[in-house]
Amino acid sequence: MSNPSFRPLIVFSIPVLILLILAFPPVWTTMTGDVIKIKTAPVDPTDLFRGSYVALEYEIESVKPSQVDDSIKTRFNTRNMGDYTRVYVRLKQNTDGLYAVDYVTKEKPGKGVYLKGELEIPYDLQNAETIQIRYGLDNYFASEEKAKEMEKDALANPSVAVVKVRNGNVVLTDIIIE
């Protein structure tokens, strides 16, 4: 590396390499992931700066405290309330074909369908009826016309998110409004 002509190449290749590393998990999940369906509800279709999209809420974002592993509950005493902690959410398929939360653990499950998520440590664990988990699946971008149509249709009919899952990574691919 004593040749000075390689230095600019090395300097410019580092950001490109970082971007490729960051883009690899979603691309690999989209190409090779398992397709599952999750019950959802569209919320709001427009953002002035980002364009038209549908903000989503999922049933799997709210879990009961009884579904959370005790090892995570012990972390509640050592972390600040309102902080987030990384968890793995094991999903099970219901009789209707949709997936729901089976249990939440801090250890990566060895098999089955699971998602990586961030659990929000509740402010009042003793009285908490649900605990919130974020997966990064909150927005679905669509054209302005399609986003408005989806919002209108979703108010009257149930909707389902189609996602691809691989090793806890998840990518939202479609929304089906029945």
Side-chain angles (χ1 to χ4, degrees):
M1 292 289 163
S2 62
N3 188 347
S5 63
F6 286 113
R7 288 184 185 155
L9 179 65
I10 292 171
V11 169
F12 291 117
S13 65
I14 290 174
V16 172
L17 184 63
I18 291 171
L19 290 174
L20 289 174
I21 290 170
L22 292 174
F24 182 74
V27 170
W28 186 249
T29 301
T30 301
M31 293 172 53
T32 63
D34 296 327
V35 177
I36 67 169
K37 295 179 180 176
I38 304 168
K39 190 172 185 179
T40 186
V43 177
D44 186 11
T46 304
D47 182 334
L48 181 63
F49 297 107
R50 295 188 296 176
S52 296
Y53 70 98
V54 179
L56 302 167
E57 289 182 358
Y58 298 91
E59 275 190 358
I60 63 171
E61 289 180 326
S62 296
V63 298
K64 297 175 187 169
S66 62
Q67 294 174 303
V68 178
D69 190 56
D70 290 337
S71 63
I72 296 172
K73 291 178 185 174
T74 58
R75 290 176 137 186
F76 292 170
N77 297 329
T78 60
R79 306 276 305 261
N80 292 328
M81 295 175 186
D83 284 351
Y84 289 88
T85 186
R86 176 168 288 252
V87 295
Y88 293 93
V89 179
R90 174 81 190 257
L91 301 177
K92 63 180 177 183
Q93 189 173 21
N94 293 332
T95 56
D96 58 2
L98 301 176
Y99 281 78
V101 174
D102 187 16
Y103 63 89
V104 180
T105 181
K106 68 177 185 179
E107 302 296 327
K108 184 177 180 179
K111 60 181 179 176
V113 177
Y114 61 93
L115 305 177
K116 292 178 193 171
E118 291 186 341
L119 182 141
E120 181 179 11
I121 296 175
Y123 287 100
D124 187 9
L125 178 62
Q126 303 301 327
N127 298 320
E129 294 180 15
T130 61
I131 298 173
Q132 298 299 310
I133 300 177
R134 298 188 312 188
Y135 301 99
L137 292 171
D138 301 338
N139 300 322
Y140 179 76
F141 290 89
S143 66
E144 186 174 342
E145 298 84 29
K146 185 177 180 182
K148 286 182 181 178
E149 182 179 323
M150 290 175 73
E151 180 189 28
K152 183 178 144 191
D153 292 345
L155 291 175
N157 302 310
S159 58
V160 173
V162 179
V163 298
K164 287 198 169 187
V165 178
R166 180 166 182 88
N167 291 333
N169 296 314
V170 62
V171 175
L172 176 62
T173 59
D174 197 10
I175 297 174
I176 300 171
I177 300 173
E178 300 174 355

